[in-house]
Structures are given as structure tokens and as C-alpha cells.
């Protein structure tokens, strides 16, 4: 049985603390008097707020939206006609269209895009970016407009009746991950008993699973789905859903609340119309785009 | 079978891109040293941030919150006592009460309310507004506090056993929509096979469905529910839920992060207490208010 | 049957209003021309935005994050080693770690923490704070990172087969609440038939339920769970879930959009990795920490 003194002291602290919090939490009981109604007019002697100096004003003035992108299939890539295409290109084009301006895509690197936006080399970044403590020191993130999903892909030859994630948490399972990938960081925590083998090149990881050298691999969509697509029944997805997800946001320059507010309401709108889902389904739920890849 | 070169090239690009992204995604492993604890005091030589110059400060100074509204039943309308009433009036009154100021309702038009807020003729707008690319160029939108729902309402005489939405996606169905309404834009996409008839006046659309001239109509709540309410069993709702929804937000002036933050935390709070739901249920889930309409 | 004039007038107003709204809701049909692609470079003659002057810059410059906390078990309390510990201390430590700075915990009071943050005595506040109209006049709230839950705890001796919340909404039930607590404000609304008895000290309320003096009590977690933990089978939780919840947010200084954006993306990230849930489970779903309490 618990120490009675401790119990009393805990209760006292808990009681007091909550009570104080709560006085502040009770809404103002008094109702405002019956409202007056007028037609729109300026408030006399109204203190003018500082003029909005948002990126939005610059973009409208310049007539162009410059969106930073990172080449990575299927987010952004050069199609066989030499044009940039992909999920982010569709998103950037729709955004420029709603803003009524021309779109300019700014090629950036995954390690440089945050600095490019902070320095004004691009107005915003759209590159499947999720939160990183480093990037968050130089740019703001919007609410998400998409998400990255991590999946398990397994060798049919080594399946041995394993049809759920628990079956791959065993000591007799070897999981392949790409060096420096989310899977490498995630696998030891989610599969503590399994042996983890790290591959330098993704193609070697894919081959190890396809040829039955190891039981399974972990990587980000759409790569596991793509392997099933190309490897036929030698590779399968033992888990129906993602084993981990990270939301993907636009990044924007610091000190600008308006561009954040614009993008977040735009994302909500393009979700409600079903447009964002339709583009995600096309780029991450199908390979109808695979023949757009330039093979030269 | 897929082209092996394409496969390798895809894998290479996918692998490289993700790997770079991920280095940035791994959280800082190092833990901060044991924190020191002090009692509240100013940081010596602290750089002072620019003073907040938010609308909130102006509103508190003026002692009045000016909320732009658009007359439309049941959002905002003049009741038989000559006072403005409706869902938005309840929302504006609660907001002013929590701010501890008087409420002033500013009559605006659906086409002008964004400019009125941008020009400072009203502090914020509360008029069932959802995202439009045009409005979003001049004001910010908050997170939603309500939503507009589009519904199908059908003629009992022409029902012929149609009891789900699929049954109204047939070539032998005529759907009525109001000219310039969301239904007019939505119907051809959601009901590609059906014949669409556009009506100039909503009363004529309602009569066409009520008298069995056409199978069904599409419009925004609470109009379909109201028709069932007044037309008895001659009109019914074949689909239990909305066929489309758009979230409704406050609009606020550009360049003010604080009013956005205030309204969004206020919305969360008024949702958690159940207050917003109770007002939506009253104004959009009942017609207890119908006798407040001035018939003169 | 409904008044036909009223019907027509309602339909007319409804029809008109919606139609106007909708013209604005239709997205710009025109698609932007084929985008051009360039590598990152500054826009010629680009208007420079005002330099970001966020708290984040100050924190990085000073090398320390000062987080305001309120002592209350298990949010923040002094453990037996004399160090501050608790859910908020874990949150503040992780935040400082991701920012790459030292953590300084600033002791504040529930009634004073908002003013402390507004005055710059602490950079942000982390103290299980939910929206209150008074606090919201001086600081901004972020999106929530946790939630406070209110629960019913009941006397086994007086249970008499009562195993759901409805059974405690009877006239023959007496509910105990702490003076000035959320339960005192909530109980009369949620349990209109029951007798409500207000206690000055939480320990007396706990004893009244434990000894069977009253049927049940209402208070915030983890107190009800703690009572079951210490009172064995003399007290039980008749309702599996919370009877009310309030989301808990950081509070930040006015006029700073960047610190809001940083904290909200940080919260999302720490939720997606499962870290926030694991800390909530530890501090609010277990009493493994109870022996850290200093009994001296």
C-alpha cells in the first residue's frame, strides 16, 4: 500500500495546481450587450497596421512564382521530352495557376533547398520535405500536403508463411536497409531481434530481396511498390500499410505569416476538392508515369 | 517485364534522393546538458522584439470588435424584431464576449467582404467563407470553424427505388442545379451520365423536384433539409451524408500573425467545450429558428 | 404545413447568397503556361523582406532556451535529487536539444506564466496550458501537443451496479468536485440531476469517495487513476474514457509567427516519431515515476 504522506502531498500539489489553472480556464461569463449593426466604413482614428510585406505581394508584382524542387522520382524528374515532371511539379503548377502567375521551377539540392529559400533564391520549397531540426532553424514549415511512407518488402522465396509484420520481428530474419536512409534509423527500433544488413547501393538491396538472399527490406514508397511492379511475384508486401510515415510540407522564408496562411488554406482547399489525393494516387499509387522516364 | 535499365536508373535516383533527404531528418542525437532552473527574470541585454501591433491590441483599445457578415439565412439574417441573428451572429457575439469588448456587426457583400477586411472597414470576416483563389490574394484564412455541405434532394414521385447516390448517376436521371452555384460546377463531374438542368431561380428548382418534374436537385445545406421540412414526403434525401463539403473560416487582414493565432486557438477551445457544435446543430440541424424570419 | 410566403422568401435569400459566394469559390480555370526551369539564383531587383527577428534567432544567439514551467505533478515537479522532472521537463529538454541550445527552466505560476512570456522573462511557456480568454489576450497558443482529460472516479461501496456514466446522472447520486476546478464548472451541466458537493481540499474529496461517503468524484487525470492506484479496489473508474478533454499548447510571445511555425512543425514531427505519445504514456499512463517524489 502506498505511503500515506506521499499520497496526501501528491493530492495537495495536484489539487492546488489544477485549481489555479482552472480559474483561468473558465470563459468570461458576461455576455456582450446586444450588438449594433452598421454598413462597412472605416473606424475613425483607426491605427493603421504596418502594410503587409509578404512574399505574396512580391510574387504578384513579379508575375512569377519560383518554387524550389529537388530531382527525385516521382516527386520531380526530367521526363523524356526534357521537361520537369512529377508530383511536386503538378502541385507547383496548380499553386501558380491559383495565384494567377507564371511558374518558375528552381532546381535545388536536398541539402541546399532550405538555404535557397532563406536566401530568396526560391520563393518556397516543394520537395517532399519533412521536419528536420537542421532545416527548421532557417525556414518555416507549413501544415502537410502529402506524406512519405516507409514499407516492408519481402522475398517470396524466403517468405515461409510470414504474412504480417510480427513475423519479421524474429531473430532468424535478416532485413536490408539503405545506408543513410530512414529505414537504417528505424529498423533497429522496430525490429530489435532481426539482423539488419546495410547496403551502400539501393539496387543491391533490391537484388538481395529479389533473389532471396535476405528475407526482406525496408524503404520509402514508391520503391517497394515499384519492386513488386517490376519483380512480379518474387517480391511481395507482407504488410498492407506503411510501417512509418512522415508528413511532407512546403518550406517558406522566415518572418512571413501570410505565405504560411495562404499555403495552409490552399492545401485545405485542394484536399477538399479531392485534387491533392488524385495527384498522390497518380504519382504514388500507380506507375502510369513510368514510361515518361528518359532512358537516354 | 520492365526494362532493366529503366529499373536500375529509377532505383539509383530514388535511392540517392531519399538518402540525402534522410541525413537531415535524423534528430540531433546529443541531449542537452542537465537544465538549470531559475525563477522568472529578464534576460540581461535581451534584444527586445518589435512591439506586437496586432488587430487584437486595436480591438482592445477601441473596446469594440467589428465583424463583417453577409446576410444569408441561416448564417446571418434580420429577425422579426429587426435584429441581426444567425449562426455567424452567435459566433461573433461569443468572440466579442471572450475578448471583453462590444460587438459591432458590419454588413458586407459576399463579393466585397474580403476587400472590406483588407481595407480595415471590418476587423475580421465571418460569413461562411471557404477558400477562393481570388479572396486568398487579399486576406488570410484561419483554420475552419464550420463547414458547408452539399446534398442531393430527390422527388419521391420519381424515386423509382433509387435510394443511394449511384442510382442518380444514370443516364435516365435529370438533376437540377442553381445557376452559379457549387452544384452547377460539381454535378457534371460527380454525375457525368445524368442530364443537368440549370435553373435561374432556386424556387423553380425546388418546385421542379417537389412536383416530380425532375428526379433530383443539388444544393447546399440547409436548403435540402428545409425542403424536406416544408414539402413533407414529396421530397426526400436519398443520401444520408453530404456529397461534398467545404470548410468555412474567418478571414483576417494580411500581416497579422496574432489575430490568426488567437482565432485558431479560440476555435479549438469552442469546439472542445461543445459550444460550436451546439450552435451548428441549432442553425443547420433544426428549423427551430424559422419563426424568427420577418414575414413583413 | 409551412407558410408558403416564408418558404419562398427563405429560398430566395438562400439561393441568392449561396450563388454570390460561389462565383468566388470556383478555382481559376486558366492553367499557367509550361513552367521554365532554372538553377537557384537571386531574383534581379528583388525587394528584400524585413529581416526575420524571431525569438528563434535570439535563442540561437544566446545559446539557451528559457522555458516557463509551473510546478504541478506530473507536469513539472522537484524529484528526490532536487532536479525538476516531469512531462514538461522532458518536452523542454527535447526541444532545446533539437534547437542545439542549453535548456533553462523558468519557474512561473499558473496565474503569472502568460505575463512572464509576454514580458520576455521566459521565451515560451510549457505548463499543460489550455485556452483561457484571459491568457489569450497576452500570448499566442500553438497547436496542441498534449491534452488534459477529466474523469469520473467512483466508490466501490456505493457502486450498486453503476457501471456507465448514465448511471451517475441520477438524482440519488452525489458527485464530489474540487472548489474552483474544471469539474465544478462541468458537473452541473453534464450531471444535471445529481447532487454536487464542493470540497475545499482535494484530499477530503478523495477520502469521501474512498470511504463511501459519496458515490463519485470528478477530477483531471492522472488524479483519478492515481486514487485507484493507491486505494486498491475501494475506488474504481466506471467510465473507460475521459468525460471531457482540453488540449494543451505552448504559449509564445505576440508578434512572432516564426516561433509558432517552428513549434507546430516540431510537435507534428515528435508526434510522428511516436516520441510525444511515449512520454505521455509514461507520465499519464503509469506511476513508474511516483518514487521520484521527494518525501522529505
Amino acid at each position: 500500500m502506498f505511503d500515506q504522506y506521499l499520497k496526501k502531498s501528491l493530492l495537495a500539489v495536484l489539487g492546488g495546481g489544477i485549481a489555479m489553472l482552472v480559474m483561468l480556464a473558465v470563459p468570461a461569463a458576461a455576455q456582450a450587450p446586444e450588438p449594433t449593426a452598421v454598413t462597412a466604413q472605416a473606424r475613425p482614428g483607426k491605427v493603421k497596421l504596418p502594410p503587409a510585406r509578404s512574399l505574396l505581394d512580391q510574387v504578384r508584382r513579379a508575375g512569377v512564382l519560383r518554387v524550389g524542387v529537388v530531382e527525385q522520382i516521382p516527386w520531380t524528374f526530367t521526363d523524356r521530352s526534357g521537361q520537369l515532371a512529377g508530383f511536386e511539379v503538378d502541385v507547383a503548377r496548380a499553386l501558380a495557376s491559383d495565384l494567377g502567375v507564371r511558374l518558375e521551377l528552381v532546381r535545388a539540392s536536398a541539402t541546399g533547398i532550405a538555404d535557397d529559400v532563406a536566401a530568396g533564391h526560391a520563393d518556397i520549397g516543394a520537395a517532399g520535405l519533412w521536419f528536420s531540426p537542421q532545416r527548421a532553424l532557417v525556414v518555416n514549415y507549413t501544415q502537410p500536403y502529402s506524406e512519405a511512407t516507409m514499407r516492408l518488402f519481402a522475398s517470396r522465396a524466403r517468405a515461409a508463411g510470414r504474412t504480417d509484420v510480427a513475423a519479421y520481428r524474429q531473430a532468424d530474419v535478416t532485413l536490408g536497409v539503405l545506408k543513410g536512409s530512414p529505414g537504417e534509423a528505424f529498423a533497429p527500433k522496430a525490429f530489435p531481434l532481426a539482423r539488419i544488413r546495410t547496403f551502400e547501393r539501393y539496387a543491391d538491396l533490391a537484388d538481395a530481396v529479389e533473389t532471396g538472399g535476405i528475407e526482406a527490406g525496408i524503404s520509402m514508397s514508391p520503391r517497394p511498390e515499384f519492386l513488386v511492379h517490376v519483380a512480379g511475384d518474387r517480391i511481395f508486401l507482407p504488410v498492407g500499410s506503411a510501417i512509418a510515415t512522415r508528413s511532407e510540407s512546403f518550406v517558406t522564408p522566415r518572418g512571413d505569416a501570410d505565405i504560411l496562411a495562404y499555403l495552409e488554406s490552399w492545401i485545405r482547399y485542394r484536399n477538399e476538392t479531392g485534387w491533392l489525393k488524385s495527384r498522390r494516387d497518380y504519382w504514388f499509387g500507380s506507375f502510369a508515369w513510368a514510361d515518361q522516364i528518359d532512358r537516354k
Side-chain angles (χ1 to χ4, degrees), chain A residues 201-261:
Chain A
R201 297 173 53 252
Y202 182 70
D204 298 335
L205 164 56
D207 288 341
V209 175
E210 184 169 357
T211 59
I214 60 178
E215 278 72 18
I218 293 177
S219 62
M220 306 303 294
S221 292
R223 287 185 292 166
E225 295 84 351
F226 178 72
L227 284 177
V228 172
H229 181 71
V230 296
D233 64 1
R234 293 190 301 285
I235 294 183
F236 72 107
L237 305 177
V239 189
S241 57
I243 57 178
T245 67
R246 294 289 181 273
S247 56
E248 301 179 327
S249 300
F250 296 111
V251 294
T252 66
R254 280 285 162 77
D256 190 334
D258 295 342
I259 186 66
L260 272 176

Side-chain angles (χ1 to χ4, degrees), chain A residues 53-56 58-59 65-66 113-125 137-142 250-260 263:
Chain A
R53 293 179 55 189
S54 173
L55 198 52
L56 286 167
Q58 291 183 20
V59 165
L65 175 71
R66 302 167 309 139
I113 189 168
D115 291 333
D116 288 336
V117 168
H121 300 160
D123 296 321
I124 65 173
L137 294 179
V138 293
V139 288
N140 291 335
Y141 285 80
T142 65
F250 296 111
V251 294
T252 66
R254 280 285 162 77
D256 190 334
D258 295 342
I259 186 66
L260 272 176
L263 291 173

Side-chain angles (χ1 to χ4, degrees), chain A residues 9 14 18 26 29 33 84 138 141 154 163 175 180 183 235 243 279 294:
Chain A
S9 67
L14 287 160
I18 291 279
V26 177
L84 288 177
V138 293
Y141 285 80
T163 58
L175 294 177
I235 294 183
I243 57 178
R279 301 325 297 154
D294 182 7

